[in-house]
mmCIF file with all atom_site columns, all heavy atoms in Angstrom:
data_model
loop_
_atom_site.group_PDB
_atom_site.id
_atom_site.type_symbol
_atom_site.label_atom_id
_atom_site.label_alt_id
_atom_site.label_comp_id
_atom_site.label_asym_id
_atom_site.label_entity_id
_atom_site.label_seq_id
_atom_site.pdbx_PDB_ins_code
_atom_site.Cartn_x
_atom_site.Cartn_y
_atom_site.Cartn_z
_atom_site.occupancy
_atom_site.B_iso_or_equiv
_atom_site.pdbx_formal_charge
_atom_site.auth_seq_id
_atom_site.auth_comp_id
_atom_site.auth_asym_id
_atom_site.auth_atom_id
_atom_site.pdbx_PDB_model_num
ATOM 1   N N   . VAL A 1 1  ? -12.099 23.530 5.165  1.00 98.00 ? 1  VAL A N   1
ATOM 2   C CA  . VAL A 1 1  ? -12.922 22.899 6.198  1.00 98.00 ? 1  VAL A CA  1
ATOM 3   C C   . VAL A 1 1  ? -12.505 21.480 6.374  1.00 98.00 ? 1  VAL A C   1
ATOM 4   O O   . VAL A 1 1  ? -12.407 20.752 5.334  1.00 98.00 ? 1  VAL A O   1
ATOM 5   C CB  . VAL A 1 1  ? -14.435 22.952 5.828  1.00 98.00 ? 1  VAL A CB  1
ATOM 6   C CG1 . VAL A 1 1  ? -15.208 22.247 7.000  1.00 98.00 ? 1  VAL A CG1 1
ATOM 7   C CG2 . VAL A 1 1  ? -14.791 24.357 5.772  1.00 98.00 ? 1  VAL A CG2 1
ATOM 8   N N   . GLU A 1 2  ? -12.270 21.016 7.530  1.00 98.00 ? 2  GLU A N   1
ATOM 9   C CA  . GLU A 1 2  ? -11.928 19.591 7.841  1.00 98.00 ? 2  GLU A CA  1
ATOM 10  C C   . GLU A 1 2  ? -13.002 19.024 8.780  1.00 98.00 ? 2  GLU A C   1
ATOM 11  O O   . GLU A 1 2  ? -13.342 19.638 9.783  1.00 98.00 ? 2  GLU A O   1
ATOM 12  C CB  . GLU A 1 2  ? -10.563 19.492 8.558  1.00 98.00 ? 2  GLU A CB  1
ATOM 13  C CG  . GLU A 1 2  ? -10.130 18.108 8.876  1.00 98.00 ? 2  GLU A CG  1
ATOM 14  C CD  . GLU A 1 2  ? -8.739  17.958 9.478  1.00 98.00 ? 2  GLU A CD  1
ATOM 15  O OE1 . GLU A 1 2  ? -7.991  18.952 9.356  1.00 98.00 ? 2  GLU A OE1 1
ATOM 16  O OE2 . GLU A 1 2  ? -8.452  16.984 10.153 1.00 98.00 ? 2  GLU A OE2 1
ATOM 17  N N   . PHE A 1 3  ? -13.495 17.885 8.395  1.00 98.00 ? 3  PHE A N   1
ATOM 18  C CA  . PHE A 1 3  ? -14.592 17.282 9.133  1.00 98.00 ? 3  PHE A CA  1
ATOM 19  C C   . PHE A 1 3  ? -14.024 16.100 9.984  1.00 98.00 ? 3  PHE A C   1
ATOM 20  O O   . PHE A 1 3  ? -13.324 15.265 9.428  1.00 98.00 ? 3  PHE A O   1
ATOM 21  C CB  . PHE A 1 3  ? -15.636 16.674 8.191  1.00 98.00 ? 3  PHE A CB  1
ATOM 22  C CG  . PHE A 1 3  ? -16.276 17.709 7.316  1.00 98.00 ? 3  PHE A CG  1
ATOM 23  C CD1 . PHE A 1 3  ? -15.775 18.026 6.066  1.00 98.00 ? 3  PHE A CD1 1
ATOM 24  C CD2 . PHE A 1 3  ? -17.391 18.447 7.760  1.00 98.00 ? 3  PHE A CD2 1
ATOM 25  C CE1 . PHE A 1 3  ? -16.383 18.956 5.201  1.00 98.00 ? 3  PHE A CE1 1
ATOM 26  C CE2 . PHE A 1 3  ? -18.035 19.423 6.974  1.00 98.00 ? 3  PHE A CE2 1
ATOM 27  C CZ  . PHE A 1 3  ? -17.506 19.707 5.678  1.00 98.00 ? 3  PHE A CZ  1
ATOM 28  N N   . ILE A 1 4  ? -14.338 16.117 11.234 1.00 98.00 ? 4  ILE A N   1
ATOM 29  C CA  . ILE A 1 4  ? -13.888 15.092 12.189 1.00 98.00 ? 4  ILE A CA  1
ATOM 30  C C   . ILE A 1 4  ? -15.029 14.505 12.925 1.00 98.00 ? 4  ILE A C   1
ATOM 31  O O   . ILE A 1 4  ? -15.722 15.221 13.639 1.00 98.00 ? 4  ILE A O   1
ATOM 32  C CB  . ILE A 1 4  ? -12.852 15.663 13.200 1.00 98.00 ? 4  ILE A CB  1
ATOM 33  C CG1 . ILE A 1 4  ? -11.645 16.372 12.537 1.00 98.00 ? 4  ILE A CG1 1
ATOM 34  C CG2 . ILE A 1 4  ? -12.281 14.549 14.111 1.00 98.00 ? 4  ILE A CG2 1
ATOM 35  C CD1 . ILE A 1 4  ? -10.741 17.090 13.354 1.00 98.00 ? 4  ILE A CD1 1
ATOM 36  N N   . THR A 1 5  ? -15.305 13.258 12.719 1.00 97.00 ? 5  THR A N   1
ATOM 37  C CA  . THR A 1 5  ? -16.501 12.579 13.280 1.00 97.00 ? 5  THR A CA  1
ATOM 38  C C   . THR A 1 5  ? -16.149 11.602 14.426 1.00 97.00 ? 5  THR A C   1
ATOM 39  O O   . THR A 1 5  ? -14.995 11.214 14.586 1.00 97.00 ? 5  THR A O   1
ATOM 40  C CB  . THR A 1 5  ? -17.276 11.858 12.193 1.00 97.00 ? 5  THR A CB  1
ATOM 41  O OG1 . THR A 1 5  ? -16.475 10.858 11.601 1.00 97.00 ? 5  THR A OG1 1
ATOM 42  C CG2 . THR A 1 5  ? -17.716 12.785 11.098 1.00 97.00 ? 5  THR A CG2 1
ATOM 43  N N   . ASN A 1 6  ? -17.214 11.204 15.133 1.00 97.00 ? 6  ASN A N   1
ATOM 44  C CA  . ASN A 1 6  ? -17.099 10.206 16.234 1.00 97.00 ? 6  ASN A CA  1
ATOM 45  C C   . ASN A 1 6  ? -16.113 10.622 17.327 1.00 97.00 ? 6  ASN A C   1
ATOM 46  O O   . ASN A 1 6  ? -15.307 9.807  17.766 1.00 97.00 ? 6  ASN A O   1
ATOM 47  C CB  . ASN A 1 6  ? -16.668 8.833  15.640 1.00 97.00 ? 6  ASN A CB  1
ATOM 48  C CG  . ASN A 1 6  ? -17.191 7.676  16.420 1.00 97.00 ? 6  ASN A CG  1
ATOM 49  O OD1 . ASN A 1 6  ? -18.203 7.753  17.203 1.00 97.00 ? 6  ASN A OD1 1
ATOM 50  N ND2 . ASN A 1 6  ? -16.455 6.548  16.351 1.00 97.00 ? 6  ASN A ND2 1
ATOM 51  N N   . VAL A 1 7  ? -16.222 11.868 17.721 1.00 97.00 ? 7  VAL A N   1
ATOM 52  C CA  . VAL A 1 7  ? -15.372 12.387 18.736 1.00 97.00 ? 7  VAL A CA  1
ATOM 53  C C   . VAL A 1 7  ? -16.184 13.110 19.817 1.00 97.00 ? 7  VAL A C   1
ATOM 54  O O   . VAL A 1 7  ? -17.273 13.567 19.593 1.00 97.00 ? 7  VAL A O   1
ATOM 55  C CB  . VAL A 1 7  ? -14.321 13.397 18.177 1.00 97.00 ? 7  VAL A CB  1
ATOM 56  C CG1 . VAL A 1 7  ? -13.363 12.750 17.199 1.00 97.00 ? 7  VAL A CG1 1
ATOM 57  C CG2 . VAL A 1 7  ? -14.959 14.584 17.560 1.00 97.00 ? 7  VAL A CG2 1
ATOM 58  N N   . ALA A 1 8  ? -15.657 13.114 21.041 1.00 97.00 ? 8  ALA A N   1
ATOM 59  C CA  . ALA A 1 8  ? -16.282 13.795 22.208 1.00 97.00 ? 8  ALA A CA  1
ATOM 60  C C   . ALA A 1 8  ? -15.290 14.967 22.627 1.00 97.00 ? 8  ALA A C   1
ATOM 61  O O   . ALA A 1 8  ? -14.146 14.716 22.923 1.00 97.00 ? 8  ALA A O   1
ATOM 62  C CB  . ALA A 1 8  ? -16.528 12.866 23.330 1.00 97.00 ? 8  ALA A CB  1
ATOM 63  N N   . VAL A 1 9  ? -15.841 16.146 22.607 1.00 97.00 ? 9  VAL A N   1
ATOM 64  C CA  . VAL A 1 9  ? -14.982 17.349 23.032 1.00 97.00 ? 9  VAL A CA  1
ATOM 65  C C   . VAL A 1 9  ? -14.935 17.309 24.568 1.00 97.00 ? 9  VAL A C   1
ATOM 66  O O   . VAL A 1 9  ? -15.926 17.191 25.275 1.00 97.00 ? 9  VAL A O   1
ATOM 67  C CB  . VAL A 1 9  ? -15.686 18.620 22.544 1.00 97.00 ? 9  VAL A CB  1
ATOM 68  C CG1 . VAL A 1 9  ? -14.821 19.803 23.016 1.00 97.00 ? 9  VAL A CG1 1
ATOM 69  C CG2 . VAL A 1 9  ? -15.819 18.613 21.052 1.00 97.00 ? 9  VAL A CG2 1
ATOM 70  N N   . LYS A 1 10 ? -13.677 17.402 25.088 1.00 97.00 ? 10 LYS A N   1
ATOM 71  C CA  . LYS A 1 10 ? -13.409 17.235 26.512 1.00 97.00 ? 10 LYS A CA  1
ATOM 72  C C   . LYS A 1 10 ? -13.069 18.494 27.254 1.00 97.00 ? 10 LYS A C   1
ATOM 73  O O   . LYS A 1 10 ? -13.390 18.724 28.420 1.00 97.00 ? 10 LYS A O   1
ATOM 74  C CB  . LYS A 1 10 ? -12.356 16.214 26.751 1.00 97.00 ? 10 LYS A CB  1
ATOM 75  C CG  . LYS A 1 10 ? -12.675 14.796 26.276 1.00 97.00 ? 10 LYS A CG  1
ATOM 76  C CD  . LYS A 1 10 ? -11.548 13.845 26.485 1.00 97.00 ? 10 LYS A CD  1
ATOM 77  C CE  . LYS A 1 10 ? -11.313 13.562 28.006 1.00 97.00 ? 10 LYS A CE  1
ATOM 78  N NZ  . LYS A 1 10 ? -10.254 12.544 28.209 1.00 97.00 ? 10 LYS A NZ  1
ATOM 79  N N   . GLU A 1 11 ? -12.383 19.404 26.576 1.00 98.00 ? 11 GLU A N   1
ATOM 80  C CA  . GLU A 1 11 ? -11.908 20.599 27.254 1.00 98.00 ? 11 GLU A CA  1
ATOM 81  C C   . GLU A 1 11 ? -11.530 21.726 26.316 1.00 98.00 ? 11 GLU A C   1
ATOM 82  O O   . GLU A 1 11 ? -10.973 21.441 25.186 1.00 98.00 ? 11 GLU A O   1
ATOM 83  C CB  . GLU A 1 11 ? -10.639 20.286 28.140 1.00 98.00 ? 11 GLU A CB  1
ATOM 84  C CG  . GLU A 1 11 ? -10.234 21.430 29.024 1.00 98.00 ? 11 GLU A CG  1
ATOM 85  C CD  . GLU A 1 11 ? -9.045  21.031 29.939 1.00 98.00 ? 11 GLU A CD  1
ATOM 86  O OE1 . GLU A 1 11 ? -8.627  19.901 29.929 1.00 98.00 ? 11 GLU A OE1 1
ATOM 87  O OE2 . GLU A 1 11 ? -8.588  21.914 30.671 1.00 98.00 ? 11 GLU A OE2 1
ATOM 88  N N   . ILE A 1 12 ? -11.761 22.938 26.718 1.00 98.00 ? 12 ILE A N   1
ATOM 89  C CA  . ILE A 1 12 ? -11.338 24.119 25.953 1.00 98.00 ? 12 ILE A CA  1
ATOM 90  C C   . ILE A 1 12 ? -10.275 24.824 26.831 1.00 98.00 ? 12 ILE A C   1
ATOM 91  O O   . ILE A 1 12 ? -10.521 25.118 28.035 1.00 98.00 ? 12 ILE A O   1
ATOM 92  C CB  . ILE A 1 12 ? -12.495 25.084 25.651 1.00 98.00 ? 12 ILE A CB  1
ATOM 93  C CG1 . ILE A 1 12 ? -13.503 24.403 24.809 1.00 98.00 ? 12 ILE A CG1 1
ATOM 94  C CG2 . ILE A 1 12 ? -12.008 26.385 25.036 1.00 98.00 ? 12 ILE A CG2 1
ATOM 95  C CD1 . ILE A 1 12 ? -14.928 25.133 24.696 1.00 98.00 ? 12 ILE A CD1 1
ATOM 96  N N   . LYS A 1 13 ? -9.094  25.101 26.253 1.00 97.00 ? 13 LYS A N   1
ATOM 97  C CA  . LYS A 1 13 ? -8.031  25.672 27.040 1.00 97.00 ? 13 LYS A CA  1
ATOM 98  C C   . LYS A 1 13 ? -7.566  27.035 26.519 1.00 97.00 ? 13 LYS A C   1
ATOM 99  O O   . LYS A 1 13 ? -7.832  27.378 25.341 1.00 97.00 ? 13 LYS A O   1
ATOM 100 C CB  . LYS A 1 13 ? -6.866  24.691 27.034 1.00 97.00 ? 13 LYS A CB  1
ATOM 101 C CG  . LYS A 1 13 ? -7.116  23.328 27.590 1.00 97.00 ? 13 LYS A CG  1
ATOM 102 C CD  . LYS A 1 13 ? -6.023  22.337 27.478 1.00 97.00 ? 13 LYS A CD  1
ATOM 103 C CE  . LYS A 1 13 ? -4.847  22.695 28.248 1.00 97.00 ? 13 LYS A CE  1
ATOM 104 N NZ  . LYS A 1 13 ? -3.751  21.682 28.213 1.00 97.00 ? 13 LYS A NZ  1
ATOM 105 N N   . GLY A 1 14 ? -6.930  27.840 27.362 1.00 97.00 ? 14 GLY A N   1
ATOM 106 C CA  . GLY A 1 14 ? -6.358  29.062 26.934 1.00 97.00 ? 14 GLY A CA  1
ATOM 107 C C   . GLY A 1 14 ? -5.919  29.857 28.172 1.00 97.00 ? 14 GLY A C   1
ATOM 108 O O   . GLY A 1 14 ? -5.899  29.325 29.261 1.00 97.00 ? 14 GLY A O   1
ATOM 109 N N   . THR A 1 15 ? -5.465  31.069 27.967 1.00 95.00 ? 15 THR A N   1
ATOM 110 C CA  . THR A 1 15 ? -5.064  31.963 29.057 1.00 95.00 ? 15 THR A CA  1
ATOM 111 C C   . THR A 1 15 ? -6.118  33.139 29.067 1.00 95.00 ? 15 THR A C   1
ATOM 112 O O   . THR A 1 15 ? -7.121  32.968 29.714 1.00 95.00 ? 15 THR A O   1
ATOM 113 C CB  . THR A 1 15 ? -3.679  32.428 28.832 1.00 95.00 ? 15 THR A CB  1
ATOM 114 O OG1 . THR A 1 15 ? -3.515  32.971 27.475 1.00 95.00 ? 15 THR A OG1 1
ATOM 115 C CG2 . THR A 1 15 ? -2.642  31.327 29.071 1.00 95.00 ? 15 THR A CG2 1
ATOM 116 N N   . LYS A 1 16 ? -5.832  34.176 28.362 1.00 94.00 ? 16 LYS A N   1
ATOM 117 C CA  . LYS A 1 16 ? -6.773  35.277 28.274 1.00 94.00 ? 16 LYS A CA  1
ATOM 118 C C   . LYS A 1 16 ? -7.877  34.962 27.207 1.00 94.00 ? 16 LYS A C   1
ATOM 119 O O   . LYS A 1 16 ? -9.005  35.487 27.295 1.00 94.00 ? 16 LYS A O   1
ATOM 120 C CB  . LYS A 1 16 ? -6.081  36.585 27.969 1.00 94.00 ? 16 LYS A CB  1
ATOM 121 C CG  . LYS A 1 16 ? -5.252  37.068 29.119 1.00 94.00 ? 16 LYS A CG  1
ATOM 122 C CD  . LYS A 1 16 ? -4.598  38.431 28.763 1.00 94.00 ? 16 LYS A CD  1
ATOM 123 C CE  . LYS A 1 16 ? -3.744  38.962 29.891 1.00 94.00 ? 16 LYS A CE  1
ATOM 124 N NZ  . LYS A 1 16 ? -3.178  40.278 29.544 1.00 94.00 ? 16 LYS A NZ  1
ATOM 125 N N   . PHE A 1 17 ? -7.468  34.190 26.210 1.00 96.00 ? 17 PHE A N   1
ATOM 126 C CA  . PHE A 1 17 ? -8.340  33.879 25.103 1.00 96.00 ? 17 PHE A CA  1
ATOM 127 C C   . PHE A 1 17 ? -8.232  32.342 24.799 1.00 96.00 ? 17 PHE A C   1
ATOM 128 O O   . PHE A 1 17 ? -7.241  31.777 25.159 1.00 96.00 ? 17 PHE A O   1
ATOM 129 C CB  . PHE A 1 17 ? -7.961  34.668 23.844 1.00 96.00 ? 17 PHE A CB  1
ATOM 130 C CG  . PHE A 1 17 ? -9.089  35.002 22.886 1.00 96.00 ? 17 PHE A CG  1
ATOM 131 C CD1 . PHE A 1 17 ? -9.990  35.952 23.078 1.00 96.00 ? 17 PHE A CD1 1
ATOM 132 C CD2 . PHE A 1 17 ? -9.174  34.210 21.723 1.00 96.00 ? 17 PHE A CD2 1
ATOM 133 C CE1 . PHE A 1 17 ? -11.015 36.224 22.182 1.00 96.00 ? 17 PHE A CE1 1
ATOM 134 C CE2 . PHE A 1 17 ? -10.198 34.376 20.809 1.00 96.00 ? 17 PHE A CE2 1
ATOM 135 C CZ  . PHE A 1 17 ? -11.096 35.377 21.002 1.00 96.00 ? 17 PHE A CZ  1
ATOM 136 N N   . VAL A 1 18 ? -9.146  31.807 24.055 1.00 97.00 ? 18 VAL A N   1
ATOM 137 C CA  . VAL A 1 18 ? -9.082  30.393 23.629 1.00 97.00 ? 18 VAL A CA  1
ATOM 138 C C   . VAL A 1 18 ? -7.795  30.170 22.882 1.00 97.00 ? 18 VAL A C   1
ATOM 139 O O   . VAL A 1 18 ? -7.481  30.878 21.910 1.00 97.00 ? 18 VAL A O   1
ATOM 140 C CB  . VAL A 1 18 ? -10.302 29.974 22.814 1.00 97.00 ? 18 VAL A CB  1
ATOM 141 C CG1 . VAL A 1 18 ? -10.121 28.641 22.227 1.00 97.00 ? 18 VAL A CG1 1
ATOM 142 C CG2 . VAL A 1 18 ? -11.538 29.929 23.687 1.00 97.00 ? 18 VAL A CG2 1
ATOM 143 N N   . GLU A 1 19 ? -7.091  29.095 23.237 1.00 97.00 ? 19 GLU A N   1
ATOM 144 C CA  . GLU A 1 19 ? -5.847  28.724 22.565 1.00 97.00 ? 19 GLU A CA  1
ATOM 145 C C   . GLU A 1 19 ? -5.897  27.274 21.985 1.00 97.00 ? 19 GLU A C   1
ATOM 146 O O   . GLU A 1 19 ? -5.180  26.984 21.028 1.00 97.00 ? 19 GLU A O   1
ATOM 147 C CB  . GLU A 1 19 ? -4.698  28.918 23.489 1.00 97.00 ? 19 GLU A CB  1
ATOM 148 C CG  . GLU A 1 19 ? -4.468  30.333 23.872 1.00 97.00 ? 19 GLU A CG  1
ATOM 149 C CD  . GLU A 1 19 ? -3.350  30.504 24.956 1.00 97.00 ? 19 GLU A CD  1
ATOM 150 O OE1 . GLU A 1 19 ? -2.789  29.428 25.360 1.00 97.00 ? 19 GLU A OE1 1
ATOM 151 O OE2 . GLU A 1 19 ? -3.125  31.585 25.412 1.00 97.00 ? 19 GLU A OE2 1
ATOM 152 N N   . SER A 1 20 ? -6.646  26.382 22.545 1.00 98.00 ? 20 SER A N   1
ATOM 153 C CA  . SER A 1 20 ? -6.703  24.997 22.094 1.00 98.00 ? 20 SER A CA  1
ATOM 154 C C   . SER A 1 20 ? -7.944  24.268 22.573 1.00 98.00 ? 20 SER A C   1
ATOM 155 O O   . SER A 1 20 ? -8.634  24.827 23.449 1.00 98.00 ? 20 SER A O   1
ATOM 156 C CB  . SER A 1 20 ? -5.452  24.245 22.536 1.00 98.00 ? 20 SER A CB  1
ATOM 157 O OG  . SER A 1 20 ? -5.504  24.093 23.947 1.00 98.00 ? 20 SER A OG  1
ATOM 158 N N   . LEU A 1 21 ? -8.177  23.135 21.914 1.00 98.00 ? 21 LEU A N   1
ATOM 159 C CA  . LEU A 1 21 ? -9.321  22.290 22.300 1.00 98.00 ? 21 LEU A CA  1
ATOM 160 C C   . LEU A 1 21 ? -8.900  20.856 22.303 1.00 98.00 ? 21 LEU A C   1
ATOM 161 O O   . LEU A 1 21 ? -8.099  20.414 21.457 1.00 98.00 ? 21 LEU A O   1
ATOM 162 C CB  . LEU A 1 21 ? -10.441 22.538 21.306 1.00 98.00 ? 21 LEU A CB  1
ATOM 163 C CG  . LEU A 1 21 ? -11.734 21.692 21.431 1.00 98.00 ? 21 LEU A CG  1
ATOM 164 C CD1 . LEU A 1 21 ? -12.937 22.515 21.115 1.00 98.00 ? 21 LEU A CD1 1
ATOM 165 C CD2 . LEU A 1 21 ? -11.649 20.451 20.548 1.00 98.00 ? 21 LEU A CD2 1
ATOM 166 N N   . ILE A 1 22 ? -9.372  20.048 23.259 1.00 98.00 ? 22 ILE A N   1
ATOM 167 C CA  . ILE A 1 22 ? -9.051  18.621 23.368 1.00 98.00 ? 22 ILE A CA  1
ATOM 168 C C   . ILE A 1 22 ? -10.310 17.847 23.077 1.00 98.00 ? 22 ILE A C   1
ATOM 169 O O   . ILE A 1 22 ? -11.357 18.089 23.673 1.00 98.00 ? 22 ILE A O   1
ATOM 170 C CB  . ILE A 1 22 ? -8.505  18.307 24.781 1.00 98.00 ? 22 ILE A CB  1
ATOM 171 C CG1 . ILE A 1 22 ? -7.241  19.051 25.089 1.00 98.00 ? 22 ILE A CG1 1
ATOM 172 C CG2 . ILE A 1 22 ? -8.305  16.748 24.915 1.00 98.00 ? 22 ILE A CG2 1
ATOM 173 C CD1 . ILE A 1 22 ? -6.727  18.879 26.530 1.00 98.00 ? 22 ILE A CD1 1
ATOM 174 N N   . TYR A 1 23 ? -10.161 16.837 22.171 1.00 98.00 ? 23 TYR A N   1
ATOM 175 C CA  . TYR A 1 23 ? -11.228 15.899 21.890 1.00 98.00 ? 23 TYR A CA  1
ATOM 176 C C   . TYR A 1 23 ? -10.779 14.509 22.028 1.00 98.00 ? 23 TYR A C   1
ATOM 177 O O   . TYR A 1 23 ? -9.572  14.248 21.788 1.00 98.00 ? 23 TYR A O   1
ATOM 178 C CB  . TYR A 1 23 ? -11.910 16.240 20.552 1.00 98.00 ? 23 TYR A CB  1
ATOM 179 C CG  . TYR A 1 23 ? -11.038 15.959 19.317 1.00 98.00 ? 23 TYR A CG  1
ATOM 180 C CD1 . TYR A 1 23 ? -10.901 14.677 18.806 1.00 98.00 ? 23 TYR A CD1 1
ATOM 181 C CD2 . TYR A 1 23 ? -10.350 17.012 18.722 1.00 98.00 ? 23 TYR A CD2 1
ATOM 182 C CE1 . TYR A 1 23 ? -10.110 14.389 17.657 1.00 98.00 ? 23 TYR A CE1 1
ATOM 183 C CE2 . TYR A 1 23 ? -9.589  16.748 17.586 1.00 98.00 ? 23 TYR A CE2 1
ATOM 184 C CZ  . TYR A 1 23 ? -9.468  15.485 17.074 1.00 98.00 ? 23 TYR A CZ  1
ATOM 185 O OH  . TYR A 1 23 ? -8.737  15.244 16.001 1.00 98.00 ? 23 TYR A OH  1
ATOM 186 N N   . GLU A 1 24 ? -11.693 13.594 22.282 1.00 98.00 ? 24 GLU A N   1
ATOM 187 C CA  . GLU A 1 24 ? -11.400 12.178 22.411 1.00 98.00 ? 24 GLU A CA  1
ATOM 188 C C   . GLU A 1 24 ? -11.971 11.423 21.267 1.00 98.00 ? 24 GLU A C   1
ATOM 189 O O   . GLU A 1 24 ? -13.145 11.607 20.880 1.00 98.00 ? 24 GLU A O   1
ATOM 190 C CB  . GLU A 1 24 ? -11.997 11.635 23.720 1.00 98.00 ? 24 GLU A CB  1
ATOM 191 C CG  . GLU A 1 24 ? -11.767 10.177 23.872 1.00 98.00 ? 24 GLU A CG  1
ATOM 192 C CD  . GLU A 1 24 ? -12.521 9.622  25.135 1.00 98.00 ? 24 GLU A CD  1
ATOM 193 O OE1 . GLU A 1 24 ? -12.941 10.403 25.961 1.00 98.00 ? 24 GLU A OE1 1
ATOM 194 O OE2 . GLU A 1 24 ? -12.663 8.364  25.212 1.00 98.00 ? 24 GLU A OE2 1
ATOM 195 N N   . ASP A 1 25 ? -11.208 10.540 20.628 1.00 97.00 ? 25 ASP A N   1
ATOM 196 C CA  . ASP A 1 25 ? -11.709 9.686  19.595 1.00 97.00 ? 25 ASP A CA  1
ATOM 197 C C   . ASP A 1 25 ? -12.520 8.610  20.318 1.00 97.00 ? 25 ASP A C   1
ATOM 198 O O   . ASP A 1 25 ? -12.024 7.870  21.180 1.00 97.00 ? 25 ASP A O   1
ATOM 199 C CB  . ASP A 1 25 ? -10.523 8.994  18.873 1.00 97.00 ? 25 ASP A CB  1
ATOM 200 C CG  . ASP A 1 25 ? -10.993 8.142  17.690 1.00 97.00 ? 25 ASP A CG  1
ATOM 201 O OD1 . ASP A 1 25 ? -11.857 7.315  17.868 1.00 97.00 ? 25 ASP A OD1 1
ATOM 202 O OD2 . ASP A 1 25 ? -10.462 8.334  16.588 1.00 97.00 ? 25 ASP A OD2 1
ATOM 203 N N   . ARG A 1 26 ? -13.812 8.470  19.943 1.00 97.00 ? 26 ARG A N   1
ATOM 204 C CA  . ARG A 1 26 ? -14.689 7.621  20.675 1.00 97.00 ? 26 ARG A CA  1
ATOM 205 C C   . ARG A 1 26 ? -14.442 6.138  20.385 1.00 97.00 ? 26 ARG A C   1
ATOM 206 O O   . ARG A 1 26 ? -14.872 5.290  21.117 1.00 97.00 ? 26 ARG A O   1
ATOM 207 C CB  . ARG A 1 26 ? -16.174 7.978  20.343 1.00 97.00 ? 26 ARG A CB  1
ATOM 208 C CG  . ARG A 1 26 ? -16.551 9.360  20.867 1.00 97.00 ? 26 ARG A CG  1
ATOM 209 C CD  . ARG A 1 26 ? -17.934 9.722  20.544 1.00 97.00 ? 26 ARG A CD  1
ATOM 210 N NE  . ARG A 1 26 ? -18.906 8.800  21.085 1.00 97.00 ? 26 ARG A NE  1
ATOM 211 C CZ  . ARG A 1 26 ? -19.925 8.213  20.447 1.00 97.00 ? 26 ARG A CZ  1
ATOM 212 N NH1 . ARG A 1 26 ? -20.074 8.428  19.152 1.00 97.00 ? 26 ARG A NH1 1
ATOM 213 N NH2 . ARG A 1 26 ? -20.754 7.364  21.069 1.00 97.00 ? 26 ARG A NH2 1
#
């Protein structure tokens, strides 16, 4: 498990299934 704080999730990407996620460092 990796904990990442102070971020805002911006977009979930993929084709038929989820492939990636974009977050912004606040």
Side-chain angles (χ1 to χ4, degrees):
V1 180
E2 181 177 340
F3 301 92
I4 305 173
T5 60
N6 208 24
V7 297
V9 179
K10 294 179 67 176
E11 185 177 0
I12 299 167
K13 300 174 67 177
T15 50
K16 292 183 178 179
F17 205 84
V18 168
E19 296 173 0
S20 67
L21 176 144
I22 298 173
Y23 67 82
E24 177 188 346
D25 186 306
R26 295 179 60 228

